[in-house]
Structures are given as C-alpha cells and as structure tokens.
C-alpha cells in the first residue's frame, strides 16, 4: 500500500494558494455522471503502465469496479506522486486512487472515503546482506531507500533514527540503487516489495521482514482521496466500496493480484 506521509511543505503551500477554491467546494448539487480519477502509474502491482502504455493494477481495477457500481463514466489521469494532492485541489481530477493512506496530516488537506485496503510495511535487503533483523541497531549507519513523501519514508526515519534514509521520487529509482549496490535496504509496502523480489529485476534482494503499521504514521488504511466538500461523491464511493465487497467483485479483483486478504481487519 501506499501509505504516504504529508506532502512537502512547499507543495502544500502551493496547493493552498492555488487550490483553495476547490478545497472548500460543495458538490451537493453536482451531477456526478463523470468522474476523473488521478493515479500515479508507477507503483506496481497497485498502479502501473504496461508496455503498451495502458494503466493497470489493483488500484485501477478497483477504481473501474467502483465507477461501474456508481454508474458513472470514469477517466484516468496520471500524476507524479509528490504533486498528487495539489493536483486534486487544483481540480485536475476529482478523486485519487493511488494507494494513498488516510493519515491525519492528509486529512487536513483533503477528504477520504473509508479504506479500500490495508497492508503492512516491510524491509528488503540484498540476498548477501549481513543485516539479519529490521531493528535500529541492525540498521545503524546503513542507507535505507524509500519513496519521497510517503508514510514509508516517514516510518523509516522514525523507526531507524541511526540509519540514513535516502528518499527517491519513485519506487523504481530506489529499486535501481539497491540492485546496483548503492543502498543497504529499502522500505515499502510488503506487497510491492514481495512482487519486486519475485521479478527478474528483484533477484538481488529478499524480504527481511514486515513491520508494525503505526496508526500515527500509517493512519486508517488506504482510501480514495477527494477535495474538501465532496460529500456527495464521498458517499457514492463509500456505498460502492461496501457493494463490491458484498457482491464478490472485490474478492475477484483481489485474487487477480494477491493470494491473501489485502482489506485487513
């Protein structure tokens, strides 16, 4: 899951300045027959572009199922992760489905639906690493890679204060650095790391272990992000999340990507 922290201060201030009109909008009278969805397209298996440039992944399939349930026409927009919230506030799209965690910091900027999944973070290290456990003592003086503006980067700094946390614009970039011996460990969602180490590109590395998802950092799971005041659209999404879980659509999509329950407790 993309369990991400608050955006950089500069981006947040920019969003407040440029998107304040959207942040306080009231959608009660809006006809939500069309919804534009923002996602990253660079976070497999949750959202990614395939060789033909088509958006795929768990987030994308869930979004399509929710749109079908709501009987609305949805289109997708790809957006760099660290500009996701400002782009939503500026009206570039109506909803974020990009593995974004529901955190207190983000809830000050945007609204969220109820969660649509929740998985724990994990640490991966090279297969020949002398690091045997995911503790601050074991990682003291080591370099840990994580994606910028994510809860994983925030958690890495909190859990491993004696390590150096290096932040990257995308997950692909930290993967390249550990594959080439420039990092000692990386931290991300357990699903993302598990899928990576099973791939040809991830043969360098192994999962060291999962970590507890501190609610103060990881919040209440992953939800759909919405502009403040989008109460009607929020209710539509919440009702649709319940419906696709009850009618089996959610499980069908989940089983396409995972062999365990990603919804959580």
């Amino acid at each position: 899951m993309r369990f991400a922290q608050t955006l950089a201060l500069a981006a947040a201030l920019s969003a407040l300045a440029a998107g304040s009109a959207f942040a306080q909008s009231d959608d009660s009278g809006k006809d939500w027959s069309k919804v534009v969805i923002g996602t990253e397209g660079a976070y497999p298996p949750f959202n990614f572009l395939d060789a033909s440039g088509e958006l795929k992944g768990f987030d994308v399939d869930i979004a399509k199922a929710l749109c079908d349930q709501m009987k609305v026409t949805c289109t997708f927009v790809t957006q760099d992760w660290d500009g996701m919230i400002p782009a939503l506030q500026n009206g570039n799209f109506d909803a974020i489905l990009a593995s974004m965690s529901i955190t207190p910091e983000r809830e000050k900027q945007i609204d969220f639906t109820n969660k649509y999944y929740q998985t724990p973070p994990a640490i991966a290290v090279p297969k020949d690493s002398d690091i045997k456990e995911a503790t601050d003592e074991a990682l003291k003086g080591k370099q840990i890679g994580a994606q910028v503006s994510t809860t994983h980067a925030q958690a890495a700094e909190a859990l491993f204060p004696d390590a150096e946390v290096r932040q990257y614009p995308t997950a692909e970039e930290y993967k390249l650095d550990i594959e080439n011996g420039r990092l000692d460990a990386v931290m991300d969602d357990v699903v993302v790391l598990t899928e990576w180490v099973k791939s040809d590109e991830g043969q360098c590395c192994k999962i060291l272990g999962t970590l507890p998802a501190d609610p103060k950092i990881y919040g209440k799971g992953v939800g759909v992000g919405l502009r403040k005041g989008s109460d009607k659209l929020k209710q539509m999404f919440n009702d649709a999340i319940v419906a696709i879980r009850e009618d089996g659509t959610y499980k069908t999509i989940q089983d396409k990507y995972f062999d365990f329950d990603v919804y959580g407790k």
Side-chain angles (χ1 to χ4, degrees):
M1 84 183 136
R2 172 77 89 260
F3 322 93
Q5 78 184 72
T6 185
L7 294 169
L9 179 59
L13 291 174
S14 172
L16 289 173
S20 57
F22 296 100
Q24 301 302 323
S25 64
D26 178 0
D27 75 338
S28 58
K30 185 173 176 60
D31 172 21
W32 286 112
S33 60
K34 296 181 180 179
V35 177
V36 181
I37 294 174
T39 194
E40 185 183 13
Y43 196 62
F46 293 104
N47 57 81
F48 60 94
L49 294 167
D50 68 9
S52 68
E54 183 181 355
L55 266 173
K56 292 188 174 181
F58 179 75
D59 288 327
V60 178
D61 285 357
I62 288 291
K64 290 177 179 178
L66 294 175
C67 292
D68 287 346
Q69 180 65 40
M70 296 189 295
K71 294 179 172 57
V72 302
T73 300
C74 287
T75 54
F76 291 84
V77 174
T78 55
Q79 168 67 51
D80 288 345
W81 176 254
D82 60 359
M84 194 72 70
I85 287 179
L88 172 69
Q89 292 175 317
N90 288 339
N92 295 10
F93 38 80
D94 305 305
I96 297 170
L97 269 116
S99 289
M100 182 172 281
S101 294
I102 308 164
T103 66
E105 292 83 0
R106 289 206 185 95
E107 288 182 301
K108 295 174 184 176
Q109 301 177 70
I110 63 174
D111 282 342
F112 283 94
T113 64
N114 297 331
K115 73 172 184 179
Y116 64 92
Y117 83 87
Q118 187 170 24
T119 49
I123 289 277
V125 297
K127 287 181 176 177
D128 60 357
S129 175
D130 59 359
I131 302 170
K132 303 303 180 186
E133 56 185 2
T135 63
D136 185 41
E137 182 178 357
L139 288 159
K140 184 177 181 179
K142 305 295 187 181
Q143 292 189 327
I144 305 173
Q147 187 173 4
V148 70
S149 298
T150 63
T151 47
H152 300 302
Q154 184 182 359
E157 291 179 337
L159 291 170
F160 312 113
D162 293 320
E164 177 187 350
V165 178
R166 295 176 57 189
Q167 300 192 33
Y168 294 78
T170 67
E172 294 307 311
E173 290 170 85
Y174 77 60
K175 291 174 185 176
L176 284 173
D177 264 11
I178 195 169
E179 288 165 17
N180 290 298
R182 292 188 287 267
L183 287 172
D184 301 298
V186 293
M187 185 168 176
D188 210 323
D189 181 83
V190 65
V191 174
V192 171
L193 293 179
T194 299
E195 291 297 307
W196 169 59
V197 299
K198 290 192 300 184
S199 70
D200 291 341
E201 293 79 10
Q203 290 302 301
C204 62
C205 299
K206 63 182 180 181
I207 301 294
L208 184 64
T210 57
L211 298 162
D214 184 345
K216 294 179 181 177
I217 297 175
Y218 285 97
K220 297 173 282 189
V222 168
V224 181
L226 304 165
R227 285 188 292 276
K228 291 287 188 180
S230 298
D231 297 339
K232 181 178 178 180
L233 186 58
K234 178 178 178 178
Q235 189 60 55
M236 289 169 62
F237 269 114
N238 277 334
D239 290 346
I241 290 169
V242 171
I244 68 169
R245 282 189 54 75
E246 290 181 346
D247 70 11
T249 302
Y250 184 95
K251 187 177 187 307
T252 298
I253 295 171
Q254 171 188 271
D255 291 350
K256 177 180 174 182
Y257 294 96
F258 316 116
D259 57 5
F260 63 96
D261 179 14
V262 296
Y263 186 77
K265 296 178 179 180

